[in-house]
Amino acid sequence: MINTSLALTYLYLLIYILLSSGVILYNKWVLSPKYFNFPFPITLTMVHMGFSGVVAFFLVRVFKVVAPVKMTFEIYATCVIPISAFFASSLWFGNTAYLHISVAFIQMLKALMPVATFLMAVVCGTDKLRCDVFLNMLLVSVGVVVSSYGEIHFNIIGTLYQVTGIFAEALRLVLTQVLLQKKGLTLNPITSLYYIAPCSFMFLFIPWYMLEQPHMDISRIQFNFWIFFSNALCALALNFSIFLVIGRTGAVTIRVAGVLKDWILIALSTVIFPESAITGLNIIGYAIALVGVVMYNYLKVKDVRATQPASPERITDRVTKDWKFEKKSSDIYVPNDDVKTGGGGGSNSASEMIVDEEAPLITSSRLSHIGRTQVNTHPA
């Protein structure tokens, strides 16, 4: 008999993979001069942020689905603003790369993200260096390098944009953990959009005004309301799906799922976009990366079996309390002794804490702890 919790975890992973793949292919189609021909990546990103911010505003202020937290100026200035800046930068550079390189090559480069996250966490002291995980990440990196070497349409500008976006994302992850978690701030996905999306929009406005606005000829721009609306809606749904996934899995686990998603994307992109040709060396390199993924999953299962599961009753209570997004949620969350000990004897290591940082928006320490406890019993 299939366990309901495990089946739900895999369902969330499937939804995340489908939405993520759809958003990437959709963005490429909109931005590419060969298709919809809207070569303004900053503008498209601002549409996403503006739409998400408006939706969050109505949910918080008008429909009062959740209550806004008591955000102080000090927390906003030292946490929300820098995190939003790097979040906006990662989206800007990542979307700009679609103008220069193929979807397939972009996904090969993105496979380095778990490696960058792990290394940045170790360098900044938010995670501990493990030889076995490091070797697996190194194997994944070697596979990506081999795949990149076999790229037919290599473009240095697009590659630099994508790599810069990866570094911006890695810095955002570390900043989120260092600045936000230590303050114990708890935000659900709706309040995260409420605070992060408008701030990211304002950061994007500066490069948009300098780089894209002077080149925008309104008479020549194709504007289809339903295309931009559906594109922004998919991006919004992706934010929520990632939140659901990281609540039930670990940080590196979702990145590993992302690598598997890249295989699907590479195959689809060659069909949808014929210019995204792949070579035998690309396939060999990605096969090497997949070996590293499988080895990591094996180590993950061993870690899970060695971890003492927490009490099911307490897990249920916390899931019920946190996942309903109730209006009386805590503004500032201070972990108690139970959480510090993992709820049932497990340790709260830095590698586990980084589970919060993989979402594009802020998530809570408390919710991440629930996800870790569940995955200890049912690994994804």
Side-chain angles (χ1 to χ4, degrees), residues 255-290:
R255 290 301 179 188
V256 169
V259 174
L260 297 178
K261 173 210 67 181
D262 293 342
W263 279 93
I264 300 174
L265 261 176
I266 290 172
L268 286 176
S269 66
T270 57
V271 176
I272 300 175
F273 308 109
E275 67 273 15
S276 299
I278 58 176
T279 65
L281 196 57
N282 292 141
I283 298 175
I284 293 174
Y286 240 70
I288 295 174
L290 184 59

PDB file of all heavy atoms in Angstrom, residues 255-290:
ATOM      1  N   ARG A 255      17.451  20.422  -5.655  1.00  0.00           N
ATOM      2  CA  ARG A 255      18.383  20.718  -6.726  1.00  0.00           C
ATOM      3  C   ARG A 255      18.652  19.469  -7.563  1.00  0.00           C
ATOM      4  O   ARG A 255      18.812  19.532  -8.777  1.00  0.00           O
ATOM      5  CB  ARG A 255      19.690  21.269  -6.140  1.00  0.00           C
ATOM      6  CG  ARG A 255      19.542  22.660  -5.563  1.00  0.00           C
ATOM      7  CD  ARG A 255      19.073  23.630  -6.609  1.00  0.00           C
ATOM      8  NE  ARG A 255      18.911  24.971  -6.061  1.00  0.00           N
ATOM      9  CZ  ARG A 255      18.366  25.975  -6.705  1.00  0.00           C
ATOM     10  NH1 ARG A 255      17.894  25.800  -7.913  1.00  0.00           N
ATOM     11  NH2 ARG A 255      18.258  27.154  -6.137  1.00  0.00           N
ATOM     12  N   VAL A 256      18.726  18.311  -6.891  1.00  0.00           N
ATOM     13  CA  VAL A 256      18.896  17.057  -7.614  1.00  0.00           C
ATOM     14  C   VAL A 256      17.676  16.793  -8.498  1.00  0.00           C
ATOM     15  O   VAL A 256      17.790  16.374  -9.649  1.00  0.00           O
ATOM     16  CB  VAL A 256      19.119  15.892  -6.631  1.00  0.00           C
ATOM     17  CG1 VAL A 256      19.038  14.554  -7.349  1.00  0.00           C
ATOM     18  CG2 VAL A 256      20.477  16.030  -5.950  1.00  0.00           C
ATOM     19  N   ALA A 257      16.481  17.060  -7.957  1.00  0.00           N
ATOM     20  CA  ALA A 257      15.264  16.949  -8.764  1.00  0.00           C
ATOM     21  C   ALA A 257      15.327  17.911  -9.941  1.00  0.00           C
ATOM     22  O   ALA A 257      14.836  17.610 -11.033  1.00  0.00           O
ATOM     23  CB  ALA A 257      14.032  17.236  -7.905  1.00  0.00           C
ATOM     24  N   GLY A 258      15.947  19.060  -9.715  1.00  0.00           N
ATOM     25  CA  GLY A 258      16.111  20.017 -10.795  1.00  0.00           C
ATOM     26  C   GLY A 258      17.006  19.495 -11.908  1.00  0.00           C
ATOM     27  O   GLY A 258      16.777  19.767 -13.087  1.00  0.00           O
ATOM     28  N   VAL A 259      18.048  18.728 -11.534  1.00  0.00           N
ATOM     29  CA  VAL A 259      18.916  18.128 -12.546  1.00  0.00           C
ATOM     30  C   VAL A 259      18.128  17.128 -13.392  1.00  0.00           C
ATOM     31  O   VAL A 259      18.261  17.080 -14.616  1.00  0.00           O
ATOM     32  CB  VAL A 259      20.132  17.459 -11.886  1.00  0.00           C
ATOM     33  CG1 VAL A 259      20.953  16.703 -12.916  1.00  0.00           C
ATOM     34  CG2 VAL A 259      21.004  18.502 -11.188  1.00  0.00           C
ATOM     35  N   LEU A 260      17.290  16.326 -12.731  1.00  0.00           N
ATOM     36  CA  LEU A 260      16.455  15.381 -13.473  1.00  0.00           C
ATOM     37  C   LEU A 260      15.476  16.122 -14.379  1.00  0.00           C
ATOM     38  O   LEU A 260      15.204  15.702 -15.513  1.00  0.00           O
ATOM     39  CB  LEU A 260      15.703  14.487 -12.491  1.00  0.00           C
ATOM     40  CG  LEU A 260      16.576  13.599 -11.602  1.00  0.00           C
ATOM     41  CD1 LEU A 260      15.705  12.804 -10.641  1.00  0.00           C
ATOM     42  CD2 LEU A 260      17.425  12.665 -12.446  1.00  0.00           C
ATOM     43  N   LYS A 261      14.955  17.239 -13.877  1.00  0.00           N
ATOM     44  CA  LYS A 261      14.069  18.073 -14.687  1.00  0.00           C
ATOM     45  C   LYS A 261      14.798  18.599 -15.915  1.00  0.00           C
ATOM     46  O   LYS A 261      14.210  18.723 -16.999  1.00  0.00           O
ATOM     47  CB  LYS A 261      13.556  19.237 -13.840  1.00  0.00           C
ATOM     48  CG  LYS A 261      12.747  20.278 -14.604  1.00  0.00           C
ATOM     49  CD  LYS A 261      12.895  21.648 -13.977  1.00  0.00           C
ATOM     50  CE  LYS A 261      14.307  22.176 -14.116  1.00  0.00           C
ATOM     51  NZ  LYS A 261      14.501  23.497 -13.498  1.00  0.00           N
ATOM     52  N   ASP A 262      16.087  18.877 -15.762  1.00  0.00           N
ATOM     53  CA  ASP A 262      16.867  19.383 -16.875  1.00  0.00           C
ATOM     54  C   ASP A 262      16.949  18.370 -18.009  1.00  0.00           C
ATOM     55  O   ASP A 262      16.970  18.746 -19.187  1.00  0.00           O
ATOM     56  CB  ASP A 262      18.278  19.762 -16.411  1.00  0.00           C
ATOM     57  CG  ASP A 262      18.261  20.946 -15.459  1.00  0.00           C
ATOM     58  OD1 ASP A 262      17.242  21.658 -15.440  1.00  0.00           O
ATOM     59  OD2 ASP A 262      19.254  21.150 -14.742  1.00  0.00           O
ATOM     60  N   TRP A 263      17.018  17.079 -17.671  1.00  0.00           N
ATOM     61  CA  TRP A 263      17.002  16.054 -18.707  1.00  0.00           C
ATOM     62  C   TRP A 263      15.726  16.165 -19.543  1.00  0.00           C
ATOM     63  O   TRP A 263      15.759  16.093 -20.776  1.00  0.00           O
ATOM     64  CB  TRP A 263      17.089  14.661 -18.083  1.00  0.00           C
ATOM     65  CG  TRP A 263      18.471  14.237 -17.717  1.00  0.00           C
ATOM     66  CD1 TRP A 263      19.093  14.378 -16.509  1.00  0.00           C
ATOM     67  CD2 TRP A 263      19.426  13.610 -18.579  1.00  0.00           C
ATOM     68  NE1 TRP A 263      20.364  13.864 -16.559  1.00  0.00           N
ATOM     69  CE2 TRP A 263      20.588  13.383 -17.812  1.00  0.00           C
ATOM     70  CE3 TRP A 263      19.403  13.205 -19.913  1.00  0.00           C
ATOM     71  CZ2 TRP A 263      21.727  12.772 -18.340  1.00  0.00           C
ATOM     72  CZ3 TRP A 263      20.536  12.589 -20.443  1.00  0.00           C
ATOM     73  CH2 TRP A 263      21.675  12.388 -19.660  1.00  0.00           C
ATOM     74  N   ILE A 264      14.602  16.330 -18.855  1.00  0.00           N
ATOM     75  CA  ILE A 264      13.318  16.456 -19.545  1.00  0.00           C
ATOM     76  C   ILE A 264      13.301  17.715 -20.405  1.00  0.00           C
ATOM     77  O   ILE A 264      12.852  17.707 -21.557  1.00  0.00           O
ATOM     78  CB  ILE A 264      12.167  16.476 -18.525  1.00  0.00           C
ATOM     79  CG1 ILE A 264      12.171  15.190 -17.706  1.00  0.00           C
ATOM     80  CG2 ILE A 264      10.822  16.673 -19.216  1.00  0.00           C
ATOM     81  CD1 ILE A 264      11.152  15.182 -16.577  1.00  0.00           C
ATOM     82  N   LEU A 265      13.811  18.806 -19.829  1.00  0.00           N
ATOM     83  CA  LEU A 265      13.827  20.071 -20.555  1.00  0.00           C
ATOM     84  C   LEU A 265      14.714  20.013 -21.789  1.00  0.00           C
ATOM     85  O   LEU A 265      14.367  20.548 -22.845  1.00  0.00           O
ATOM     86  CB  LEU A 265      14.311  21.187 -19.630  1.00  0.00           C
ATOM     87  CG  LEU A 265      13.236  22.067 -18.999  1.00  0.00           C
ATOM     88  CD1 LEU A 265      13.859  23.047 -18.035  1.00  0.00           C
ATOM     89  CD2 LEU A 265      12.446  22.793 -20.066  1.00  0.00           C
ATOM     90  N   ILE A 266      15.854  19.371 -21.662  1.00  0.00           N
ATOM     91  CA  ILE A 266      16.769  19.275 -22.793  1.00  0.00           C
ATOM     92  C   ILE A 266      16.104  18.526 -23.940  1.00  0.00           C
ATOM     93  O   ILE A 266      16.179  18.925 -25.109  1.00  0.00           O
ATOM     94  CB  ILE A 266      18.081  18.584 -22.367  1.00  0.00           C
ATOM     95  CG1 ILE A 266      18.884  19.508 -21.444  1.00  0.00           C
ATOM     96  CG2 ILE A 266      18.913  18.198 -23.583  1.00  0.00           C
ATOM     97  CD1 ILE A 266      20.091  18.855 -20.830  1.00  0.00           C
ATOM     98  N   ALA A 267      15.412  17.440 -23.597  1.00  0.00           N
ATOM     99  CA  ALA A 267      14.724  16.660 -24.626  1.00  0.00           C
ATOM    100  C   ALA A 267      13.596  17.466 -25.264  1.00  0.00           C
ATOM    101  O   ALA A 267      13.443  17.487 -26.492  1.00  0.00           O
ATOM    102  CB  ALA A 267      14.193  15.362 -24.021  1.00  0.00           C
ATOM    103  N   LEU A 268      12.802  18.146 -24.425  1.00  0.00           N
ATOM    104  CA  LEU A 268      11.685  18.935 -24.946  1.00  0.00           C
ATOM    105  C   LEU A 268      12.166  20.116 -25.786  1.00  0.00           C
ATOM    106  O   LEU A 268      11.561  20.455 -26.807  1.00  0.00           O
ATOM    107  CB  LEU A 268      10.815  19.430 -23.796  1.00  0.00           C
ATOM    108  CG  LEU A 268       9.927  18.403 -23.103  1.00  0.00           C
ATOM    109  CD1 LEU A 268       9.196  19.035 -21.922  1.00  0.00           C
ATOM    110  CD2 LEU A 268       8.927  17.805 -24.075  1.00  0.00           C
ATOM    111  N   SER A 269      13.251  20.745 -25.337  1.00  0.00           N
ATOM    112  CA  SER A 269      13.734  21.943 -26.042  1.00  0.00           C
ATOM    113  C   SER A 269      14.213  21.617 -27.442  1.00  0.00           C
ATOM    114  O   SER A 269      14.096  22.438 -28.359  1.00  0.00           O
ATOM    115  CB  SER A 269      14.857  22.608 -25.239  1.00  0.00           C
ATOM    116  OG  SER A 269      16.006  21.767 -25.174  1.00  0.00           O
ATOM    117  N   THR A 270      14.771  20.423 -27.624  1.00  0.00           N
ATOM    118  CA  THR A 270      15.228  20.047 -28.958  1.00  0.00           C
ATOM    119  C   THR A 270      14.055  19.831 -29.914  1.00  0.00           C
ATOM    120  O   THR A 270      14.217  19.928 -31.134  1.00  0.00           O
ATOM    121  CB  THR A 270      16.078  18.767 -28.900  1.00  0.00           C
ATOM    122  OG1 THR A 270      15.309  17.713 -28.297  1.00  0.00           O
ATOM    123  CG2 THR A 270      17.343  19.002 -28.085  1.00  0.00           C
ATOM    124  N   VAL A 271      12.888  19.532 -29.350  1.00  0.00           N
ATOM    125  CA  VAL A 271      11.699  19.344 -30.178  1.00  0.00           C
ATOM    126  C   VAL A 271      11.015  20.680 -30.449  1.00  0.00           C
ATOM    127  O   VAL A 271      10.642  20.994 -31.590  1.00  0.00           O
ATOM    128  CB  VAL A 271      10.707  18.376 -29.489  1.00  0.00           C
ATOM    129  CG1 VAL A 271       9.422  18.257 -30.303  1.00  0.00           C
ATOM    130  CG2 VAL A 271      11.351  17.015 -29.299  1.00  0.00           C
ATOM    131  N   ILE A 272      10.861  21.495 -29.389  1.00  0.00           N
ATOM    132  CA  ILE A 272      10.161  22.775 -29.518  1.00  0.00           C
ATOM    133  C   ILE A 272      11.020  23.815 -30.213  1.00  0.00           C
ATOM    134  O   ILE A 272      10.537  24.604 -31.035  1.00  0.00           O
ATOM    135  CB  ILE A 272       9.721  23.273 -28.132  1.00  0.00           C
ATOM    136  CG1 ILE A 272       8.774  22.257 -27.482  1.00  0.00           C
ATOM    137  CG2 ILE A 272       9.045  24.639 -28.231  1.00  0.00           C
ATOM    138  CD1 ILE A 272       8.381  22.607 -26.067  1.00  0.00           C
ATOM    139  N   PHE A 273      12.321  23.820 -29.870  1.00  0.00           N
ATOM    140  CA  PHE A 273      13.258  24.782 -30.465  1.00  0.00           C
ATOM    141  C   PHE A 273      14.335  24.005 -31.227  1.00  0.00           C
ATOM    142  O   PHE A 273      15.318  23.540 -30.608  1.00  0.00           O
ATOM    143  CB  PHE A 273      13.897  25.659 -29.390  1.00  0.00           C
ATOM    144  CG  PHE A 273      12.901  26.327 -28.478  1.00  0.00           C
ATOM    145  CD1 PHE A 273      12.764  25.923 -27.156  1.00  0.00           C
ATOM    146  CD2 PHE A 273      12.086  27.346 -28.947  1.00  0.00           C
ATOM    147  CE1 PHE A 273      11.849  26.528 -26.318  1.00  0.00           C
ATOM    148  CE2 PHE A 273      11.168  27.957 -28.118  1.00  0.00           C
ATOM    149  CZ  PHE A 273      11.044  27.546 -26.800  1.00  0.00           C
ATOM    150  N   PRO A 274      14.208  23.834 -32.515  1.00  0.00           N
ATOM    151  CA  PRO A 274      15.158  23.015 -33.292  1.00  0.00           C
ATOM    152  C   PRO A 274      16.597  23.495 -33.197  1.00  0.00           C
ATOM    153  O   PRO A 274      17.523  22.703 -33.402  1.00  0.00           O
ATOM    154  CB  PRO A 274      14.625  23.154 -34.728  1.00  0.00           C
ATOM    155  CG  PRO A 274      13.187  23.513 -34.583  1.00  0.00           C
ATOM    156  CD  PRO A 274      13.109  24.353 -33.344  1.00  0.00           C
ATOM    157  N   GLU A 275      16.792  24.779 -32.898  1.00  0.00           N
ATOM    158  CA  GLU A 275      18.168  25.279 -32.796  1.00  0.00           C
ATOM    159  C   GLU A 275      18.890  24.761 -31.559  1.00  0.00           C
ATOM    160  O   GLU A 275      20.116  24.892 -31.443  1.00  0.00           O
ATOM    161  CB  GLU A 275      18.180  26.810 -32.794  1.00  0.00           C
ATOM    162  CG  GLU A 275      17.549  27.459 -31.569  1.00  0.00           C
ATOM    163  CD  GLU A 275      16.048  27.656 -31.714  1.00  0.00           C
ATOM    164  OE1 GLU A 275      15.465  27.044 -32.629  1.00  0.00           O
ATOM    165  OE2 GLU A 275      15.476  28.412 -30.923  1.00  0.00           O
ATOM    166  N   SER A 276      18.153  24.177 -30.624  1.00  0.00           N
ATOM    167  CA  SER A 276      18.765  23.633 -29.402  1.00  0.00           C
ATOM    168  C   SER A 276      19.270  22.219 -29.657  1.00  0.00           C
ATOM    169  O   SER A 276      18.779  21.240 -29.088  1.00  0.00           O
ATOM    170  CB  SER A 276      17.752  23.632 -28.255  1.00  0.00           C
ATOM    171  OG  SER A 276      17.310  24.931 -27.957  1.00  0.00           O
ATOM    172  N   ALA A 277      20.240  22.114 -30.554  1.00  0.00           N
ATOM    173  CA  ALA A 277      20.793  20.802 -30.908  1.00  0.00           C
ATOM    174  C   ALA A 277      21.748  20.322 -29.825  1.00  0.00           C
ATOM    175  O   ALA A 277      22.454  21.109 -29.189  1.00  0.00           O
ATOM    176  CB  ALA A 277      21.514  20.895 -32.248  1.00  0.00           C
ATOM    177  N   ILE A 278      21.751  19.015 -29.584  1.00  0.00           N
ATOM    178  CA  ILE A 278      22.661  18.424 -28.608  1.00  0.00           C
ATOM    179  C   ILE A 278      23.554  17.415 -29.306  1.00  0.00           C
ATOM    180  O   ILE A 278      23.192  16.835 -30.328  1.00  0.00           O
ATOM    181  CB  ILE A 278      21.902  17.756 -27.447  1.00  0.00           C
ATOM    182  CG1 ILE A 278      20.948  16.680 -27.964  1.00  0.00           C
ATOM    183  CG2 ILE A 278      21.147  18.794 -26.636  1.00  0.00           C
ATOM    184  CD1 ILE A 278      20.244  15.918 -26.856  1.00  0.00           C
ATOM    185  N   THR A 279      24.740  17.210 -28.740  1.00  0.00           N
ATOM    186  CA  THR A 279      25.717  16.292 -29.319  1.00  0.00           C
ATOM    187  C   THR A 279      25.905  15.084 -28.417  1.00  0.00           C
ATOM    188  O   THR A 279      25.405  15.031 -27.292  1.00  0.00           O
ATOM    189  CB  THR A 279      27.065  17.006 -29.504  1.00  0.00           C
ATOM    190  OG1 THR A 279      27.583  17.357 -28.202  1.00  0.00           O
ATOM    191  CG2 THR A 279      26.907  18.272 -30.339  1.00  0.00           C
ATOM    192  N   GLY A 280      26.659  14.119 -28.930  1.00  0.00           N
ATOM    193  CA  GLY A 280      26.961  12.935 -28.136  1.00  0.00           C
ATOM    194  C   GLY A 280      27.749  13.283 -26.885  1.00  0.00           C
ATOM    195  O   GLY A 280      27.570  12.671 -25.822  1.00  0.00           O
ATOM    196  N   LEU A 281      28.628  14.277 -26.979  1.00  0.00           N
ATOM    197  CA  LEU A 281      29.423  14.685 -25.823  1.00  0.00           C
ATOM    198  C   LEU A 281      28.532  15.326 -24.757  1.00  0.00           C
ATOM    199  O   LEU A 281      28.786  15.168 -23.555  1.00  0.00           O
ATOM    200  CB  LEU A 281      30.507  15.671 -26.269  1.00  0.00           C
ATOM    201  CG  LEU A 281      31.659  15.913 -25.276  1.00  0.00           C
ATOM    202  CD1 LEU A 281      32.351  14.603 -24.937  1.00  0.00           C
ATOM    203  CD2 LEU A 281      32.659  16.900 -25.877  1.00  0.00           C
ATOM    204  N   ASN A 282      27.496  16.043 -25.205  1.00  0.00           N
ATOM    205  CA  ASN A 282      26.518  16.573 -24.249  1.00  0.00           C
ATOM    206  C   ASN A 282      25.875  15.444 -23.451  1.00  0.00           C
ATOM    207  O   ASN A 282      25.745  15.514 -22.219  1.00  0.00           O
ATOM    208  CB  ASN A 282      25.414  17.347 -24.973  1.00  0.00           C
ATOM    209  CG  ASN A 282      25.902  18.633 -25.596  1.00  0.00           C
ATOM    210  OD1 ASN A 282      25.485  18.990 -26.684  1.00  0.00           O
ATOM    211  ND2 ASN A 282      26.796  19.353 -24.931  1.00  0.00           N
ATOM    212  N   ILE A 283      25.464  14.404 -24.152  1.00  0.00           N
ATOM    213  CA  ILE A 283      24.785  13.281 -23.497  1.00  0.00           C
ATOM    214  C   ILE A 283      25.726  12.560 -22.550  1.00  0.00           C
ATOM    215  O   ILE A 283      25.340  12.183 -21.426  1.00  0.00           O
ATOM    216  CB  ILE A 283      24.232  12.316 -24.563  1.00  0.00           C
ATOM    217  CG1 ILE A 283      23.190  13.034 -25.431  1.00  0.00           C
ATOM    218  CG2 ILE A 283      23.619  11.081 -23.915  1.00  0.00           C
ATOM    219  CD1 ILE A 283      22.675  12.200 -26.586  1.00  0.00           C
ATOM    220  N   ILE A 284      26.960  12.352 -22.977  1.00  0.00           N
ATOM    221  CA  ILE A 284      27.939  11.674 -22.111  1.00  0.00           C
ATOM    222  C   ILE A 284      28.177  12.478 -20.832  1.00  0.00           C
ATOM    223  O   ILE A 284      28.214  11.932 -19.727  1.00  0.00           O
ATOM    224  CB  ILE A 284      29.272  11.464 -22.868  1.00  0.00           C
ATOM    225  CG1 ILE A 284      29.069  10.456 -24.006  1.00  0.00           C
ATOM    226  CG2 ILE A 284      30.364  10.983 -21.915  1.00  0.00           C
ATOM    227  CD1 ILE A 284      30.290  10.294 -24.893  1.00  0.00           C
ATOM    228  N   GLY A 285      28.343  13.783 -20.992  1.00  0.00           N
ATOM    229  CA  GLY A 285      28.573  14.624 -19.820  1.00  0.00           C
ATOM    230  C   GLY A 285      27.418  14.592 -18.845  1.00  0.00           C
ATOM    231  O   GLY A 285      27.615  14.489 -17.629  1.00  0.00           O
ATOM    232  N   TYR A 286      26.210  14.638 -19.371  1.00  0.00           N
ATOM    233  CA  TYR A 286      25.052  14.608 -18.484  1.00  0.00           C
ATOM    234  C   TYR A 286      24.859  13.234 -17.855  1.00  0.00           C
ATOM    235  O   TYR A 286      24.311  13.122 -16.757  1.00  0.00           O
ATOM    236  CB  TYR A 286      23.803  15.055 -19.244  1.00  0.00           C
ATOM    237  CG  TYR A 286      23.201  16.276 -18.616  1.00  0.00           C
ATOM    238  CD1 TYR A 286      23.864  17.496 -18.703  1.00  0.00           C
ATOM    239  CD2 TYR A 286      22.009  16.212 -17.908  1.00  0.00           C
ATOM    240  CE1 TYR A 286      23.336  18.621 -18.113  1.00  0.00           C
ATOM    241  CE2 TYR A 286      21.480  17.342 -17.320  1.00  0.00           C
ATOM    242  CZ  TYR A 286      22.140  18.543 -17.424  1.00  0.00           C
ATOM    243  OH  TYR A 286      21.624  19.652 -16.818  1.00  0.00           O
ATOM    244  N   ALA A 287      25.282  12.179 -18.544  1.00  0.00           N
ATOM    245  CA  ALA A 287      25.243  10.833 -17.956  1.00  0.00           C
ATOM    246  C   ALA A 287      26.178  10.758 -16.750  1.00  0.00           C
ATOM    247  O   ALA A 287      25.851  10.145 -15.725  1.00  0.00           O
ATOM    248  CB  ALA A 287      25.627   9.794 -19.002  1.00  0.00           C
ATOM    249  N   ILE A 288      27.338  11.390 -16.867  1.00  0.00           N
ATOM    250  CA  ILE A 288      28.269  11.439 -15.733  1.00  0.00           C
ATOM    251  C   ILE A 288      27.634  12.181 -14.568  1.00  0.00           C
ATOM    252  O   ILE A 288      27.728  11.753 -13.408  1.00  0.00           O
ATOM    253  CB  ILE A 288      29.590  12.130 -16.155  1.00  0.00           C
ATOM    254  CG1 ILE A 288      30.309  11.292 -17.212  1.00  0.00           C
ATOM    255  CG2 ILE A 288      30.496  12.339 -14.942  1.00  0.00           C
ATOM    256  CD1 ILE A 288      31.546  11.967 -17.795  1.00  0.00           C
ATOM    257  N   ALA A 289      26.967  13.297 -14.872  1.00  0.00           N
ATOM    258  CA  ALA A 289      26.289  14.060 -13.824  1.00  0.00           C
ATOM    259  C   ALA A 289      25.202  13.229 -13.158  1.00  0.00           C
ATOM    260  O   ALA A 289      25.002  13.295 -11.940  1.00  0.00           O
ATOM    261  CB  ALA A 289      25.700  15.342 -14.403  1.00  0.00           C
ATOM    262  N   LEU A 290      24.490  12.429 -13.931  1.00  0.00           N
ATOM    263  CA  LEU A 290      23.419  11.603 -13.380  1.00  0.00           C
ATOM    264  C   LEU A 290      23.962  10.561 -12.423  1.00  0.00           C
ATOM    265  O   LEU A 290      23.313  10.221 -11.431  1.00  0.00           O
ATOM    266  CB  LEU A 290      22.648  10.923 -14.515  1.00  0.00           C
ATOM    267  CG  LEU A 290      21.430  10.100 -14.093  1.00  0.00           C
ATOM    268  CD1 LEU A 290      20.425  10.973 -13.367  1.00  0.00           C
ATOM    269  CD2 LEU A 290      20.787   9.430 -15.306  1.00  0.00           C
TER     270      LEU A 290
END
